[in-house]
Amino acid sequence: MEDLVPAAALRPQLAADYHQAEIELNHRFAHRLSAGEILAGLHAARLEQQGDRAVDEAQVNLRKRARAHIAAVRAQAILEKGVRPWSEQEISDRASAHTCKILATARRAVALVAAIPPDELRRLREADHHEGL
């Protein structure tokens, strides 16, 4: 997570492409963290940085994504491994912790990218585009 979120903040188009591939393939980018969660976390962090009131809705959206994934993974584990089901509270607690971790990483990533001089940031993104990233 510590590498993926800053990379997505630096290369938003590449992150959007990975997210689109996740949707089309119906498969997560990484087991513990989807490109959709990364983008949702970065969106919430940017809104927060700008003081936008829509940040609350963005954070709720991220938490819903995290909760849905955690519940689905546990349901699969119940079927495949016979583990005990988690209570709604356990799922909720894990979703909250996951959301907090994503948001903390996204806040750091947004701050790091914001500290890059605009000309340098543009050059980095153009270099990625020309290299086919």
Side-chain angles (χ1 to χ4, degrees), residues 11-21 35 39:
R11 299 174 189 90
Q13 185 55 56
L14 179 60
D17 291 346
Y18 274 107
H19 179 56
Q20 186 60 40
L39 292 173

Side-chain angles (χ1 to χ4, degrees), residues 34-80:
S34 72
E37 287 171 327
I38 291 170
L39 292 173
L42 288 169
H43 177 66
R46 287 184 189 110
L47 291 174
E48 185 178 82
Q49 183 185 54
Q50 297 163 0
D52 193 316
R53 291 183 301 182
V55 68
D56 292 338
E57 183 179 337
Q59 289 177 350
V60 167
N61 177 44
L62 173 59
R63 190 177 181 291
K64 285 180 182 178
R65 285 176 177 272
R67 192 204 174 286
H69 174 67
I70 289 166
V73 167
R74 191 59 177 188
Q76 189 69 32
I78 291 166
L79 293 174
E80 292 177 357

Side-chain angles (χ1 to χ4, degrees), residues 11 13-14 17-18 124-125 127-133:
R11 299 174 189 90
Q13 185 55 56
L14 179 60
D17 291 346
Y18 274 107
L124 288 168
R125 288 180 174 162
D128 285 349
H129 179 71
H130 294 302
E131 292 174 12
L133 292 176

